[in-house]
Each structure stands twice: as C-alpha cells, then as structure tokens.
Amino acid sequence: MLRIDVITIFPGLFDAFVGESIVGIAVRGGQLSVETHDLRSYTTDPHRTVDDSPFGGGAGMVMKPEPLVTAIEALAGPKEPNRSARVVMLTPQGQKLDQNRLSVLSREQQLVLVCGRYEGVDQRAIDLAVDEEVSIGDYVLSGGEVPAMALIEGVARLLPGVLGNPESALNESFQGPTLEGPQYTRPAEFRGHAVPAVLRSGDHGAVQRWRSEQSMEYTRQRRPDLLRPPEGEKQS
Ligand code: 6GU
C-alpha cells in the first residue's frame, strides 16, 4: 500500500479526483491511500497566513516557512537519513517528471506531496524539509495541485494489481523508447475511412510487425528526440 499525503491550500480540488477512474480504483482496491491536508490548519495566527511579501522586494508573494515545515514534519517526521517518507515538492523549478521517476516513486512506502503556490516558497523550508522538487513541464501553472494530480495518477497505475491488464502498462508510450502508433475500433469504415486492412487480416505476426513499424514512424515524425541518446551519453 502506497500512502500519499498532499499538503495544499486547496484540498477541495482533490475530492473528485481521488474517487474517480484509476486513482479511485487503486484507493478502493487498497493499493493506494490519498489524504489531503489544508496548509492553513498548520498556521498559528488568527488570519491563518500562509504567504508574505518577498525580502528584497518584487512582485508576488512567497509561501512562509513555518506552516509548511510544521505540516511536512507532522506527516513525514524530521528530515533524517532514515525518514521513511519521501517529500516531493511540485514546482516549476523542479526536475521534469518522466516515466522513470514515476516508477521510482511508485515503489516508496509514503509520499508527501507539497503543492507550491504564489511566486515561490521560502528556500529554508525546501532545504529543511523537502527531499526533491518536481515539475511537469516547461509551462506556467499557478500552483502545484494539478501537477500533484498528474503525479498521483501516474504512480497509481503502476501499483501492482491496479491495472486490469498488466501488459497495457508495458505497451504504452514512454515505457519503451517509442510512442504507441494509431489504434482503431469499430466500425470498420467511418465516413469513408477504412481501418487498415492488416488489422482485420487475423495475421497476428503481420499485425505485430505493422504496429512496430507505425510506432517507429510516429516516433520519428513526432518525437525524434526520443530516438536520440540521452544528454551526457552522446558519442563524440
Ligand atoms: Cl510542478 N508547478 C507550477 N506552478 N507550474 C508548473 C509546474 C509545477 N510544472 C509545470 N508548470
């Protein structure tokens, strides 16, 4: 069972998300638990303040360190080498999330996801309590809540026994080095467009060959970067 605790100022955003689809299936199946924690409940002032203006001036607000560190330590314990929980902050400054990172995270006992908001988070809170920072791509969102949901869904479907057919997790895009090619279902003809004949031929070998050619062609056309060796492993 993977336990995920989410620290956020918008816990309501997660209510429907954790009950539906693959995440709901994982929760009901006992492979996953997701609990949300309102950051404001870890404040001590009457106004329940979670942000303040930046030292040095400038636009926007910064998340205060006290409620964040209090919340993280209440859920994960202090940051020590033997801490059993992994604390992940969702922020555009993080490492870009990929399938390999999801796979590593899905094997943890407990994840504490910290949703950043405003223009940033006091660096001392990150240094004192966070293990790693993760981004979901090079574009701007207003907070880490949607990225946290992406991470939760991505790990939920990797938990043993969650997907009906374990092969469907393996065949999909990014598990391997290529994208999945085109898929078709009934009807065999739609608005004058027929399904490729090989898929209806009953020849499983021919279907497999066609799919792997299509997969390679899709990847060449759409994501040629996936076919190049990773940065740092290039031949001279
Ligand atoms: Cl993790 N947070 C925010 N605020 N924006 C993002 C992001 C995260 N990943 C991509 N854009």
Side-chain angles (χ1 to χ4, degrees):
M1 147 85 86
L2 170 62
R3 168 179 169 179
I4 301 182
D5 293 285
V6 184
I7 299 170
T8 170
I9 57 169
F10 296 118
L13 283 176
F14 292 84
D15 290 346
F17 177 72
V18 302
E20 305 275 353
S21 188
I22 199 79
V23 174
I25 289 168
V27 169
R28 286 188 293 277
Q31 292 104 331
L32 175 68
S33 85
V34 182
E35 303 288 339
T36 56
H37 307 271
D38 188 344
L39 180 61
R40 288 189 200 282
S41 67
Y42 294 90
T43 57
T44 53
D45 64 309
H47 292 106
R48 311 219 297 167
T49 312
V50 294
D51 63 331
D52 203 342
S53 48
F55 274 114
M61 299 291 272
V62 176
M63 289 181 92
K64 291 169 62 61
E66 309 96 311
L68 263 179
V69 171
T70 305
I72 294 169
E73 289 181 345
L75 295 165
K79 187 173 175 179
E80 292 169 348
N82 65 343
R83 178 159 76 175
S84 64
R86 185 143 195 93
V87 178
V88 178
M89 167 133 61
L90 288 307
T91 154
Q93 280 79 37
Q95 289 287 305
K96 212 183 292 180
L97 187 61
D98 62 14
Q99 196 61 30
N100 182 60
R101 181 109 306 261
L102 287 176
S103 173
V104 169
L105 294 174
S106 75
R107 281 173 253 142
E108 294 284 343
Q109 287 179 32
Q110 184 190 1
L111 299 175
V112 174
L113 304 184
V114 182
C115 302
R117 273 269 154 186
Y118 310 111
E119 264 43 64
V121 174
D122 188 289
Q123 186 60 41
R124 295 164 296 180
I126 300 173
D127 295 341
L128 285 167
V130 171
D131 296 309
E132 67 182 292
E133 296 169 75
V134 165
S135 159
I136 62 165
D138 296 335
Y139 44 84
V140 179
L141 303 173
S142 295
E145 282 77 10
V146 167
M149 290 183 212
L151 190 157
I152 293 168
E153 182 163 312
V155 298
R157 54 195 301 295
L158 296 177
L159 298 174
V162 170
L163 286 189
N165 172 12
E167 259 181 48
S168 55
L170 292 176
N171 285 342
E172 276 173 282
S173 300
F174 297 112
Q175 197 75 34
T178 59
L179 301 179
E180 195 165 19
Q183 306 285 325
Y184 299 89
T185 186
R186 280 179 284 274
E189 191 179 309
F190 178 65
R191 296 194 177 180
H193 297 269
V195 168
V198 61
L199 297 178
R200 306 184 61 211
S201 68
D203 181 341
H204 293 295
V207 168
Q208 261 188 3
R209 283 190 297 279
W210 184 85
R211 283 188 171 149
S212 83
E213 286 160 19
Q214 291 291 312
S215 164
M216 191 50 76
E217 197 45 37
Y218 257 42
T219 311
R220 253 198 298 274
Q221 288 176 4
R222 297 164 182 227
R223 292 293 307 279
D225 57 297
L226 294 177
L227 299 174
R228 289 195 289 267
E231 211 64 48
E233 288 174 35
K234 281 190 186 132
Q235 317 277 332
S236 57

